Amino acid sequence: MNLRLADMAIKAYQGILDENDSARVAFFRTLWGIQQEFSQDVDADYQVPSDHDLKAAVKLSTPVFATKGVSVDGSLFAQVIKALCAATIEQQVALPQVNDDLARIDWDNVVSNSDLELAGVNPSAYLVQVSEQLLEGGVSQVSVGMALSFVSMALRTMIEGAAEQVWNGIKAADLVETCHPQACPVCGSAPSLSHVGGETSSSGRGRKLVCTQCGTAWEYERVRCARCGTRDQSSLHFFNLEGDDSHRIATCDECGQYIRTLFSESKLLPTSYEVEDVVMARLDAVAMDPRFQGGAE
């Protein structure tokens, strides 16, 4: 995670975001600082698969971590989760009941009884497993949702370094132009947002999908659904809030799903996907509004 870039992006948003969004960004900046601090303790000893194996994974759209997973240190992992929860409780950004639930969760026990091998191979499946574990332990659905966000952030701390190494290996093997899967090519998670504009290696596409689970961003066709893959242009639409053309919802009539999308006209503006993920959170509520279903771009 590039905190310097995040701080530049936050500064660029000063005077633009409303009070609520500014407060949310400030809160997450605290959490990103915690992630950054613990990332220095993560073992960087990850052996990137050979070019041959990377090519095979890219060709089959198989996440590289499914071929060679990351070893997750359970003790450090639990420490990161506890630090993120403690910061949230201290700042009182959640409902009192959620804070109480977070304080009661024995994260050392949760982590030690979870499948850490799965965490380093398939983060999405691991989060589902932990969710079920917490629900079975009596944690409320609302509290589980927030708790999982911290598990996800802590897991990113554990796998981001390896993910960066893998993506550098993909670039070194000249595979970027052929690596355009719907799920993250490194960890297999679904993309959280997309970005139209900025730097891309293949002319005519001009779009990236972003995995906030491991930090990977990869190129993807501009006229294609990021969820189901359809290229039927008549089924694809964009919506945005009035007065904000930079943040839009890309919807698909065929699958009924959407992805939040950043449009940046200037390559000089600092772009932090962590900051954008927070800023665009309000678009999730907009996407659920029936008025934004089935319209035209």
Side-chain angles (χ1 to χ4, degrees):
M1 182 180 299
N2 190 333
L3 276 187
R4 180 173 176 272
L5 181 60
D7 287 336
M8 291 171 61
I10 292 172
K11 185 176 181 180
Y13 268 121
Q14 287 181 355
I16 298 175
L17 299 179
D18 62 26
E19 184 177 349
N20 289 333
D21 282 340
S22 294
R24 291 183 68 254
V25 170
F27 164 65
F28 276 95
R29 175 59 180 82
T30 299
L31 301 188
W32 299 332
I34 292 172
Q35 289 178 282
Q36 182 72 17
E37 180 181 352
F38 277 101
S39 67
Q40 302 173 26
D41 298 324
V42 176
D43 187 354
D45 186 21
Y46 176 83
Q47 187 65 43
V48 177
S50 66
D51 286 0
H52 176 272
D53 289 340
L54 289 176
K55 290 177 183 178
V58 169
K59 182 178 181 180
L60 297 173
S61 293
T62 300
V64 175
F65 282 175
T67 300
K68 181 174 179 57
V70 182
S71 178
V72 176
D73 181 334
S75 177
L76 182 61
F77 182 33
Q79 288 182 53
V80 184
I81 300 173
K82 287 187 287 187
L84 294 170
C85 288
T88 303
I89 295 170
E90 180 181 356
Q91 296 197 29
Q92 298 183 343
V93 297
L95 295 172
Q97 181 59 54
V98 174
N99 281 338
D100 290 343
D101 284 344
L102 292 177
R104 282 196 295 265
I105 297 174
D106 183 346
W107 285 111
D108 292 309
N109 182 63
V110 170
V111 170
S112 64
N113 285 289
S114 66
D115 187 348
L116 289 176
E117 181 177 352
L118 179 64
V121 172
N122 188 335
S124 295
Y126 177 77
L127 292 175
V128 171
Q129 181 191 88
V130 173
S131 173
E132 294 172 348
Q133 186 177 347
L134 291 174
L135 288 171
E136 290 174 359
V139 181
S140 70
Q141 185 72 59
V142 174
S143 298
V144 167
M146 179 162 282
L148 275 187
S149 68
F150 300 137
V151 175
S152 176
M153 293 181 73
L155 185 53
R156 172 166 175 170
T157 303
M158 307 303 296
I159 68 175
E160 184 175 25
E164 183 177 359
Q165 293 179 55
V166 169
W167 187 247
N168 287 336
I170 289 175
K171 289 190 292 185
D174 294 323
L175 297 172
V176 171
E177 292 190 17
T178 58
C179 185
H180 306 297
Q182 288 166 231
C184 176
V186 177
C187 77
S189 300
S192 297
L193 56 98
S194 70
H195 180 198
V196 175
E199 298 289 342
T200 56
S201 66
S202 303
S203 60
R205 289 189 170 90
R207 180 190 187 193
K208 288 184 177 180
L209 299 184
V210 180
C211 172
T212 54
Q213 180 57 75
C214 73
T216 301
W218 67 100
E219 296 178 19
Y220 194 77
E221 294 90 337
R222 182 164 177 171
V223 184
R224 188 183 181 195
C225 176
R227 301 306 185 192
C228 71
T230 184
R231 294 182 173 85
D232 181 3
Q233 190 168 1
S234 65
S235 297
L236 305 175
H237 316 287
F238 285 105
F239 302 101
N240 62 278
L241 296 175
E242 184 176 356
D244 185 0
D245 291 332
S246 297
H247 302 110
R248 309 182 192 180
I249 302 167
T251 66
C252 175
D253 294 341
E254 290 197 17
C255 67
Q257 299 185 71
Y258 71 94
I259 189 167
R260 300 166 300 162
T261 303
L262 167 68
F263 280 76
S264 59
E265 297 180 0
S266 173
K267 296 179 181 179
L268 300 179
L269 291 175
T271 300
S272 165
Y273 293 132
E274 287 73 35
V275 174
E276 292 300 331
D277 190 37
V278 175
V279 170
M280 288 199 287
R282 64 184 184 276
L283 293 180
D284 290 319
V286 175
M288 297 297 102
D289 191 322
R291 294 175 299 173
F292 290 89
Q293 305 296 324
E297 181 179 359

